[in-house]
Amino acid sequence: MGSLSEIYSRLPDSMDDLPPPPNQEAVAQADYHARHWVSPLTGPLKPGSEAHKRAVAAMFRETFNPYRPSVIDWPKLDPQTLHRIVSLPIWDIAVQTEGKARLRMAAYASLVQDPDMKDAISRNAWEENRHKEVLSKMVAAYDIPMAPEPPYVEPKDVEWAYLVTGFSECVDSFFAFGMFELAKRSGFFPEALTDTFEPIMQEECRHILLFANWLAWQRAVMPWWRRPYFEAKVWAVWAFLAYERMSLARTVDDSGQEHTQDNNFTVTGTKDVANIDITLPDFMDLCLAEDERRFSGYDARLLRPTTAPFLARVIRNTGRAWEFASGIVKANRK
Ligand SMILES: [Fe+2]
Ligand SMILES: [Fe+2]
């Protein structure tokens, strides 16, 4: 475990040695660079090529946002808002997900031979650790009661664990983008708090951009005889995620109190974060629009995750067809 924690707690170019941003302008510039990146190379970036792989690693390195969790100024919340936020059933699972992600990514990075991909995935592990730090600081600032964290166990099948984390992030981030926007519009989160979380949301977009391109690279460079086994594993991961999302995670704390955490919060939590009534098809449209917006600043030659947007379109179209059909039935009854 020692060497893995070294991967996720030490950035290749140690951030602790960097001076903090001198002013607000520097912060805004770092934010801009985290959202916009185009490779100076001309021509296509074909997965499996040296150019594509270098571009993926450069994108991840050059869009790094050097914010520090320790200097985040948590806004003071009025008692009502504080209560709403403290009682969201997500904080345990959020902290534990980051804890697992940093370990799984570090474990996978330690096995990757290619220096460019190793660098990018190690940085991703580091950023997951930073997310965990941000959440820990927030939990402390708002006095959110937490269940004790389970021990983080190094995965036995490192590739499986990395795939589970990567695909989970693809699904969760896609729906979280929509939910975050909804929470912003409804004023559920005060603006100061959404501003604080905004860089983290965008960071997840970079993570899933990296994952989608790593996946394409991995498929392109792996020996042909490994491919069927790998694809079977990918299907098994999706089956596992579908099963996991149908259940709720329960943990019991020191005093015997049960904490119920919703694995599926990013899909089902719209009512919790917004007093706006939004139909499922409209929510899917919002997620699709936000997904598009967050990815729009990155080189169009890099691949984007496609499964969650595809599912969202299916759900939206089915929902619209249902609305249309039930509208006709109602009109005929009158
Ligand atoms: Fe994260
Ligand atoms: Fe992430």
Side-chain angles (χ1 to χ4, degrees):
M1 176 91 71
S3 61
L4 294 189
S5 64
E6 241 170 61
I7 293 178
Y8 67 64
S9 58
R10 209 187 310 141
L11 200 62
D13 31 63
S14 175
M15 187 168 79
D16 293 331
D17 298 339
L18 300 174
N23 49 39
Q24 262 324 98
E25 203 182 309
V27 173
Q29 251 201 11
D31 188 70
Y32 180 87
H33 289 302
R35 292 161 199 274
H36 300 86
W37 186 88
V38 178
S39 167
L41 296 174
T42 51
L45 296 174
K46 192 170 176 291
S49 68
E50 198 58 21
H52 170 260
K53 187 197 68 178
R54 290 252 169 90
V56 173
M59 173 282 293
F60 205 75
R61 210 171 42 241
E62 290 165 17
T63 54
F64 173 70
N65 188 342
Y67 66 85
R68 290 155 189 256
S70 54
V71 299
I72 293 177
D73 200 5
W74 293 100
K76 222 176 143 28
L77 305 174
D78 63 77
Q80 218 187 351
T81 311
L82 183 65
H83 177 75
R84 268 204 324 253
I85 286 171
V86 167
S87 41
L88 279 177
I90 55 171
W91 303 117
D92 287 321
I93 210 152
V95 169
Q96 292 169 23
T97 303
E98 304 292 0
K100 261 195 243 170
R102 68 175 181 189
L103 187 64
R104 290 170 167 199
M105 288 184 179
Y108 191 71
S110 73
L111 297 187
V112 173
Q113 299 293 320
D114 182 274
D116 291 314
M117 282 295 173
K118 195 184 193 72
D119 179 71
I121 299 169
S122 302
R123 286 169 185 273
N124 199 152
W126 186 91
E127 291 184 8
E128 299 302 350
N129 185 47
R130 180 167 62 173
H131 288 174
K132 190 169 184 297
E133 267 178 46
V134 170
L135 285 173
S136 310
K137 301 270 185 233
M138 179 189 173
V139 160
Y142 297 136
D143 223 359
I144 300 175
M146 301 289 284
E149 288 175 56
Y152 296 106
V153 187
E154 222 176 285
K156 283 198 192 76
D157 184 340
V158 173
E159 187 183 60
W160 166 269
Y162 181 63
L163 287 168
V164 168
T165 296
F167 284 122
S168 289
E169 281 208 330
C170 289
V171 174
D172 289 339
S173 301
F174 176 81
F175 292 109
F177 294 160
M179 190 164 308
F180 189 72
E181 180 57 23
L182 202 60
K184 234 161 127 179
R185 289 183 191 174
S186 69
F188 178 89
F189 283 117
E191 210 181 311
L193 203 55
T194 44
D195 288 352
T196 307
F197 273 106
E198 178 50 48
I200 298 178
M201 279 287 146
Q202 193 60 31
E203 215 155 54
E204 290 302 355
C205 178
R206 287 169 58 248
H207 291 180
I208 61 178
L209 183 60
L210 168 63
F211 183 74
N213 284 278
W214 163 82
L215 187 64
W217 169 80
Q218 176 77 344
R219 281 180 167 140
V221 299
M222 83 172 42
W224 64 268
W225 49 265
R226 248 211 100 213
R227 191 74 193 270
Y229 174 69
F230 183 76
E231 295 306 331
K233 216 170 188 177
V234 167
W235 278 99
V237 166
W238 279 110
F240 170 76
L241 291 181
Y243 168 77
E244 190 189 51
R245 264 127 232 275
M246 281 188 274
S247 62
L248 293 173
R250 285 195 173 77
T251 44
V252 177
D253 72 13
D254 297 344
S255 55
Q257 210 194 334
E258 198 176 81
H259 294 243
T260 305
Q261 294 280 304
D262 193 345
N263 275 329
N264 227 4
F265 185 81
T266 55
V267 186
T268 59
T270 50
K271 282 256 159 42
D272 288 328
V273 302
N275 41 13
I276 300 176
D277 239 342
I278 184 165
T279 66
L280 195 58
D282 285 348
F283 180 58
M284 294 299 126
D285 268 338
L286 180 62
C287 292
L288 286 161
E290 279 300 291
D291 188 64
E292 174 86 36
R293 181 180 72 79
R294 288 193 181 273
F295 276 108
S296 63
Y298 304 116
D299 199 315
R301 292 168 294 174
L302 294 179
L303 299 168
R304 270 70 171 150
T306 51
T307 308
F310 169 77
L311 289 175
R313 280 190 199 98
V314 171
I315 296 171
R316 180 199 57 194
N317 295 346
T318 314
R320 293 253 188 269
W322 175 256
E323 281 171 1
F324 181 70
S326 56
I328 291 179
V329 171
K330 269 187 209 146
N332 280 341
R333 273 205 196 126
K334 272 181 198 162

